[in-house]
């Protein structure tokens, strides 16, 4: 019986068009007739057709086998990426994945972080670190402009620049090291070791200022890793560090999950520097891989015998009295001291509230603990001013000093943790001011 190829409606023998849908059916044959013709074909012809069909199928299958074998050979013969190879691949890695990033320094087992140092990197750190609302809890805010150039170093013979940012009233700090193309080559975290009294605590300040802070930075600087991987790496390092510090067996360096952590401790502070490396990095290179650059060209700031007039763009080495005055005004405005007392409580104890709050600043704190103070003010390459105060400390005696760096143009103040002799303790200072003003 003939049927419409479009809708399947039964057709009469002479119908040229389908009565149901109007489809042209003039070429449609009776299906039974077609089947009969096929069944009535000579057996020899059917055998020949089968032979041709099997031959075609064999050719297709053989081609498929050859293609599959070629792919398999490529997979087996091409070397897999290892921790000493270069690759542009960015994947969400697990803790067991080898560290492989661009720009390895041949033979030294050292690699760049897979990112640039820019606003996007800092924004990525902020978003990762703030996942649990820790920014709001800590009052911590980090912007790209907060990082100030410090000085140049040689890292395994390659020139790198150090940028510094200090937050939370000087309790923690971050250093970023970049090459001339702004590729990140190293990251340092500076903090008070008291934060590691109990790394297992749920306290937001301790956990987020150590594990979470470093984990978020490693994630922001390393696009090819997942945040969970970076946070787990940071937690591992801090557990090792805390245990060894407690047992007085602290090592100069640790390796884990593609990172080498270099350790420097002084007084009650620690500086941890993270590099992307092979596991035998310190065996090959030791721990002192950073060397300060000497002989920096300061010709733009130095008078020469042939110069009749200093360039208008050059900054004089000497810091003027007016600049010192402005810098110290900023020190007076910089909050200092753990202010835990309410105004009501202060008033109940006969304390002048305005005087109490006004004294909780960096400048007054320095002069509270130091007497016979001398100031050494030096200009830095970025235009900021290093303010080094030296005097007789109320406890430690003569020759004690403390250093702050003030950027008048940007109105920023931060504690220079790289150069200090004694530390201002915010808790003690606020208590001392309170005791000075309280009426018993």
């Amino acid at each position: 019986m003939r049927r419409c190829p479009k809708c399947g409606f039964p057709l009469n023998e002479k119908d040229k068009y389908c009565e149901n849908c109007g489809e042209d059916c003039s070429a449609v044959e009776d299906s039974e007739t077609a089947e009969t013709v096929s069944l009535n074909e000579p057996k020899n012809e059917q055998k020949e057709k089968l032979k041709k069909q099997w031959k075609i199928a064999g050719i297709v299958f053989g081609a498929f086998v050859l293609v599959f074998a070629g792919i398999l050979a490529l997979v087996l013969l091409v070397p897999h990426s290892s921790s000493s190879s270069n690759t542009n691949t960015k994947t969400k890695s697990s803790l067991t994945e080898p560290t492989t990033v661009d720009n390895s320094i041949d033979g030294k087992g050292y690699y760049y972080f897979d990112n640039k140092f820019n606003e996007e990197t800092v924004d990525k750190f902020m978003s990762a670190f703030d996942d649990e609302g820790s920014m709001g809890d800590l009052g911590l805010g980090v912007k790209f402009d907060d990082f100030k150039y410090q000085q140049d170093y040689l890292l395994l013979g390659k020139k790198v620049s150090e940028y510094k940012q200090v937050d939370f009233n000087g309790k923690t700090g971050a250093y970023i090291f970049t090459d001339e193309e702004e590729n990140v080559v190293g990251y340092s975290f500076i903090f008070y070791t008291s934060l590691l009294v109990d790394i297992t605590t749920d306290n937001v300040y301790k956990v987020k200022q150590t594990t979470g802070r470093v984990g978020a930075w490693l994630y922001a600087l390393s696009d090819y890793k997942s945040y969970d991987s970076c946070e787990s790496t940071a937690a591992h390092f801090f557990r090792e560090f805390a245990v060894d510090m407690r047992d007085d067996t602290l090592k100069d360096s640790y390796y884990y999950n593609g990172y080498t952590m270099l350790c420097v401790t002084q007084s009650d502070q620690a500086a941890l520097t993270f590099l992307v490396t092979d596991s035998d990095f310190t065996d090959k290179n030791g721990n002192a891989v950073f060397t300060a650059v000497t002989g920096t060209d300061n010709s733009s700031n130095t008078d020469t015998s042939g110069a009749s007039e200093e360039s208008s763009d050059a900054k004089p080495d000497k810091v003027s009295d007016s600049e010192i005055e402005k810098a110290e005004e900023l020190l007076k405005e910089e909050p200092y001291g753990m202010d835990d007392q309410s105004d009501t409580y202060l008033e109940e104890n006969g304390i002048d509230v305005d005087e109490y709050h006004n004294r909780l600043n960096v400048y007054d704190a320095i002069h509270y603990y130091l007497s016979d103070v001398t100031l050494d003010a030096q200009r830095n390459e970025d235009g900021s001013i290093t303010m080094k105060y030296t005097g007789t400390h109320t406890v430690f005696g003569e020759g004690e000093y403390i250093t702050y760096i003030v950027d008048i143009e940007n109105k920023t103040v931060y504690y220079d943790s790289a150069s200090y002799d004694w530390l201002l303790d915010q808790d003690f200072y606020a208590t001392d001011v309170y005791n000075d003003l309280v009426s018993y």
Side-chain angles (χ1 to χ4, degrees):
M1 176 180 289
R2 298 171 67 226
R3 291 185 178 274
C4 174
K6 184 175 182 181
C7 66
F9 189 82
L11 302 173
N12 294 323
E13 184 179 349
K14 296 182 180 180
D15 287 343
K16 293 184 178 180
Y17 298 93
C18 178
E19 294 181 5
N20 183 49
C21 65
E23 178 73 9
D24 185 356
C25 300
S26 58
V28 176
E29 297 181 1
D30 191 318
S31 60
E32 293 179 355
T33 304
E35 290 174 4
T36 303
V37 171
S38 175
L39 292 172
N40 291 334
E41 279 183 349
K43 291 183 178 181
N44 289 338
E45 292 182 13
Q46 291 183 27
K47 288 181 180 180
E48 289 298 320
K49 283 187 177 181
L50 285 173
K51 286 181 180 180
K52 290 180 180 179
Q53 291 172 357
W54 277 107
K55 184 180 290 187
I56 293 172
I59 293 171
V60 172
F61 179 78
F64 174 80
V65 170
L66 288 174
V67 171
F68 179 80
I71 295 173
L72 184 62
L74 285 173
V75 172
L76 294 175
L77 294 176
V78 174
H80 291 286
S81 297
S82 66
S83 58
S84 60
S85 64
N86 297 333
T87 178
N88 289 319
T89 304
K90 294 182 180 181
T91 62
K92 297 294 185 182
S93 74
S94 67
L95 287 175
T96 58
E97 260 186 10
T99 299
T100 54
V101 293
D102 293 339
N103 304 314
S104 63
I105 296 181
D106 293 338
K108 298 182 179 180
Y110 165 72
Y111 307 84
Y112 293 172
F113 284 89
D114 198 13
N115 214 330
K116 301 280 187 179
F117 180 49
N118 52 34
E119 291 185 15
E120 291 182 3
T121 304
V122 178
D123 288 344
K124 187 176 179 183
F125 158 73
M126 290 287 287
S127 62
F129 187 64
D130 201 22
D131 279 346
E132 298 179 17
S134 54
M135 292 293 183
D137 294 337
L138 295 172
L140 173 66
V142 180
K143 302 187 296 293
F144 179 65
D145 292 339
D146 292 338
F147 286 86
K148 304 300 180 185
Y149 168 79
Q150 295 297 299
Q151 59 181 320
D152 290 334
Y153 287 92
L154 292 178
L155 174 55
L156 297 178
K158 185 177 181 65
K159 184 178 178 181
V160 299
S161 298
E162 176 191 64
Y163 292 86
K164 174 183 176 182
Q165 177 266 334
V166 175
D167 55 47
F168 207 71
N169 286 331
K171 279 195 174 292
T172 61
Y175 288 80
I176 303 292
F177 299 90
T178 68
D179 65 7
E180 294 179 353
E181 287 77 38
E182 301 304 317
N183 296 307
V184 180
V185 299
Y187 163 67
S188 290
F189 181 56
I190 313 279
F191 65 102
Y192 282 85
T193 52
S194 58
L195 297 180
L196 296 179
V197 172
D198 183 7
I199 195 64
T200 63
T201 182
D202 291 331
N203 181 280
V204 172
Y205 178 73
K206 291 180 180 178
V207 173
K208 278 298 180 182
Q209 284 296 302
T210 51
T211 302
R213 176 79 178 276
V214 171
W217 268 120
L218 297 183
Y219 171 65
L221 300 175
S222 306
D223 280 347
Y224 66 98
K225 289 223 174 187
S226 69
Y227 174 72
D228 289 343
S229 167
C230 293
E231 187 176 45
S232 297
T233 296
H236 174 88
F237 275 128
F238 276 108
R239 281 193 296 270
E240 294 283 314
F241 181 89
V243 170
D244 288 355
M245 183 178 64
R246 181 194 63 198
D247 298 340
D248 198 24
T249 59
L250 195 63
K251 296 188 283 288
D252 292 332
S253 65
Y254 297 80
Y255 174 83
Y256 181 69
N257 192 31
Y259 295 95
T260 291
M261 181 179 76
L262 306 177
C263 306
V264 176
T265 57
Q266 185 175 12
S267 185
D268 57 351
Q269 281 191 314
L272 306 180
T273 300
F274 298 86
L275 304 172
V276 180
T277 73
D278 290 338
S279 59
D280 58 352
F281 174 74
T282 53
D283 293 337
K284 292 179 179 178
N285 306 287
N287 299 310
V289 295
F290 284 94
T291 305
V293 174
T294 58
T296 304
D297 182 12
N298 292 320
S299 57
S300 61
N301 296 331
T302 305
D303 290 333
T304 60
S305 57
S308 60
E309 185 177 3
E310 185 178 28
S311 168
S312 59
D313 294 332
K315 293 182 182 295
D317 289 335
K318 181 177 174 58
V319 180
S320 67
D321 292 340
S322 62
E323 288 177 305
I324 291 176
E325 184 177 345
K326 291 178 181 178
E328 293 195 323
E329 285 300 320
L330 288 174
L331 288 174
K332 293 176 182 178
E333 295 173 5
E334 184 70 12
Y336 194 86
M338 302 300 287
D339 184 13
D340 296 328
Q341 311 298 338
S342 68
D343 290 351
T344 301
Y345 181 82
L346 295 173
E347 291 173 349
E348 289 175 351
N349 287 275
I351 293 177
D352 185 319
V353 175
D354 290 337
E355 184 177 359
Y356 174 79
H357 288 300
N358 288 339
R359 285 181 59 178
L360 296 183
N361 64 77
V362 169
Y363 181 85
D364 282 349
I366 292 173
H367 288 78
Y368 183 89
Y369 290 113
L370 284 183
S371 59
D372 302 323
V373 178
T374 59
L375 170 63
D376 179 20
Q378 299 289 334
R379 189 184 310 284
N380 303 314
E381 290 186 9
D382 63 352
S384 63
I385 300 172
T386 295
M387 310 285 285
K388 181 179 179 181
Y389 292 90
T390 306
T392 301
H393 191 277
T394 54
V395 176
F396 303 114
E398 297 180 357
E400 300 298 314
Y401 66 89
I402 191 165
T403 307
Y404 272 80
I405 297 177
V406 181
D407 189 330
I408 297 174
E409 183 177 351
N410 295 312
K411 296 184 177 180
T412 59
V413 174
Y414 53 93
Y415 171 64
D416 184 11
S417 58
S419 173
Y420 69 93
D421 193 5
W422 57 280
L423 298 173
L424 297 176
D425 189 297
Q426 298 182 70
D427 294 315
F428 288 157
Y429 178 60
T431 301
D432 288 341
V433 172
Y434 174 87
N435 290 333
D436 285 348
L437 300 176
V438 69
S439 299
Y440 294 103

